[in-house]
Amino acid sequence: MFAFLAVLVFLLEAAAAILDAIGYGSIAAALWDTYCRATGNRKAAERLELRAAIVALRRDLRSVSSVDEFARWAKLRRRLDALSASFETVSSDLSIERTAFELYVNMVLRVAVYGVRAVVSIYNYRVAVFYVPQNWFYPVLWFLSLPSAPMGSVSVTVWAFACNRVCKRAAAIFNRTLRPVAPPVAAPAPGSSDVAAARPAVGSGSALIG
């Protein structure tokens, strides 16, 4: 019983740390993509069709001269504007649907993770996960057994806290290991002034505005 409880609490804290490291938003976004593919979401499919049609029309429009073939160019332009408006409407509706889906998944995941952890801790708040040698931890025996576990034991609350700290630290180390290292920024050349360095930025900004 004690070994099962210790493993259960550790697995729950490890799962919570992994979900925090990945991000509930990223998980919800991945589930949204899976949901659209599995259910054949009509608006998502319509958005893809409209985007493909817009790309094709823009390609045709670039190949038509607005001077020599004005009638054909105007017809393609009107059709492109209509498709673009439909694309914006479908994208807006799909964005609202996606936001609602991700909020729901985010809430369900958080309630499941934190709810199960809370239930396990509350249900077993008097149970000892394991006992420790009293001579080793005599000054802090009362702390290890908080809130109501037998004296000389480690309570579920303390064990969960320790597992949570270890799992979060391991997840942070794993993230730093996988995170790409940004290339170092080259130092400015000696003698260059801030004004001289700022001149190209001002010029480029003027050119963009013009």
Side-chain angles (χ1 to χ4, degrees):
M1 172 64 183
F2 294 159
F4 172 78
L5 184 59
V7 173
L8 175 62
V9 171
F10 176 79
L11 291 178
L12 289 175
E13 297 300 328
I18 291 172
L19 290 177
D20 285 336
I22 296 174
Y24 288 91
S26 300
I27 296 173
L31 289 177
W32 166 255
D33 295 336
T34 304
Y35 168 78
C36 289
R37 288 194 297 268
T39 60
N41 188 284
R42 183 182 60 83
K43 290 182 181 178
E46 184 180 357
R47 184 177 182 275
L48 290 176
E49 293 175 359
L50 286 172
R51 185 170 62 180
I54 289 173
V55 171
L57 269 178
R58 285 177 176 172
R59 184 168 53 247
D60 294 341
L61 194 63
R62 284 195 297 268
S63 65
V64 176
S65 173
S66 60
V67 177
D68 299 334
E69 301 176 90
F70 178 77
R72 184 186 175 191
W73 181 89
K75 181 179 179 181
L76 290 175
R77 185 66 196 182
R78 286 194 299 270
R79 187 180 176 191
L80 178 61
D81 292 340
L83 287 178
S84 298
S86 300
F87 179 81
E88 292 297 330
T89 301
V90 172
S91 296
S92 177
D93 294 341
L94 190 62
S95 177
I96 295 174
E97 184 178 347
R98 175 173 183 167
T99 301
F101 177 89
E102 291 184 357
L103 286 175
Y104 177 77
V105 170
N106 200 317
M107 181 185 67
V108 169
L109 286 175
R110 290 183 181 274
V111 169
V113 171
Y114 290 99
V116 171
R117 293 161 69 193
V119 168
V120 170
S121 296
I122 294 172
Y123 184 77
N124 298 285
Y125 78 102
R126 291 181 181 271
V127 178
V129 178
F130 54 85
Y131 287 85
V132 296
Q134 296 188 10
N135 295 334
W136 294 3
F137 301 96
Y138 175 74
V140 292
L141 283 178
W142 64 272
F143 176 79
L144 296 178
S145 60
L146 289 176
S148 301
M151 183 64 70
S153 67
V154 176
S155 66
V156 171
T157 302
V158 174
W159 177 244
F161 176 79
C163 291
N164 180 270
R165 299 299 298 173
V166 170
C167 292
K168 282 190 174 181
R169 182 64 60 86
I173 294 174
F174 187 72
N175 275 343
R176 285 198 298 269
T177 303
L178 294 183
R179 188 180 303 164
V181 180
V185 179
S192 60
S193 63
D194 294 338
V195 175
R199 283 176 183 171
V202 174
S204 60
S206 302
L208 289 174
I209 295 173

